[in-house]
């Protein structure tokens, strides 16, 4: 990636006589910003001891789903989390691929000893998942973040 600027050189009468071009390689800057955006797009936050919160917003494609899984599992390991709340209230569309990615994340978390709760299940998303025949199995779900946090507090005996 290059960033370029063109600057005119004027004569004494103010007429352009030459143009000077400056070009700078900004490839590393673009890559750095891309990584920063990705991290902001998939935050996993410790909300109290042993509990992580992952709000997912926007469109989830295969690459983003892999990034979400990597970031989530890494955070579980780093924080030694026992509970993960994934909120999808900011996800407008859930298709089979998105539902399967969510299930994979929760199953991987369970393998690491971390229970998962998916919150933000709207009526439209519930209907879509049902119509698609996606089996959520034993994945715990709630309609709101508040419900998910209430369940987490109760399960931890707080």
């Amino acid at each position: 990636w290059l960033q370029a600027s063109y600057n005119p050189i004027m004569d004494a009468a103010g007429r352009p006589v030459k143009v000077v071009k400056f070009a700078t390689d900004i490839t590393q800057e673009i890559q750095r910003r891309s990584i920063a955006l990705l991290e902001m797009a998939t935050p996993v936050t410790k909300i109290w001891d042993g509990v992580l919160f992952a709000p997912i917003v926007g469109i989830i494609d295969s690459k983003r789903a892999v990034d979400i899984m990597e970031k989530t599992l890494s955070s579980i390991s780093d924080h030694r989390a026992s509970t993960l709340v994934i909120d999808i209230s900011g996800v407008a569309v859930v298709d089979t691929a998105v539902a399967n990615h969510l299930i994979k994340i929760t199953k991987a978390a369970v393998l690491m000893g971390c229970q998962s709760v998916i919150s933000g299940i709207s009526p439209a998303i519930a209907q879509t998942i049902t119509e698609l025949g996606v089996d959520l199995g034993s994945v715990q779900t709630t309609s709101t973040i508040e419900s998910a946090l209430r369940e987490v507090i109760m399960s931890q005996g707080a």
Side-chain angles (χ1 to χ4, degrees), residues 15-145:
R15 294 181 300 245
V17 292
K18 292 183 182 181
V19 174
V20 176
K21 174 185 164 188
F22 293 98
T24 306
D25 181 354
I26 60 168
T27 304
Q28 289 181 343
E29 179 66 17
I30 296 292
Q31 291 170 342
R32 187 186 64 73
R33 287 183 185 189
S34 294
I35 291 168
L37 282 173
L38 182 61
E39 288 175 359
M40 289 188 318
T42 313
V44 179
T45 306
K46 177 181 171 183
I47 54 175
W48 66 78
D49 283 340
V51 181
L52 298 177
F53 178 61
I56 301 175
V57 178
I59 297 170
I60 304 173
D61 60 9
S62 295
K63 177 165 179 9
R64 183 158 183 233
V66 169
D67 292 335
I68 291 169
M69 180 176 277
E70 288 174 0
K71 177 97 185 249
T72 301
L73 298 181
S74 177
S75 293
I76 290 170
S77 177
D78 292 346
H79 295 286
R80 296 186 174 103
S82 59
T83 306
L84 168 67
V85 177
I86 301 171
D87 180 64
I88 62 168
S89 59
V91 177
V93 178
V94 172
D95 59 13
T96 307
V98 171
N100 285 327
H101 286 302
L102 291 171
I103 292 167
K104 287 178 184 178
I105 291 168
T106 60
K107 285 183 178 181
V110 167
L111 289 173
M112 295 178 70
C114 183
Q115 78 172 42
S116 299
V117 179
I118 299 176
S119 68
I121 306 284
S122 68
I125 290 175
Q127 184 175 2
T128 300
I129 289 173
T130 302
E131 288 174 359
L132 292 171
V134 175
D135 180 19
L136 292 177
S138 61
V139 176
Q140 186 175 358
T141 62
T142 66
S143 60
T144 66
I145 296 169

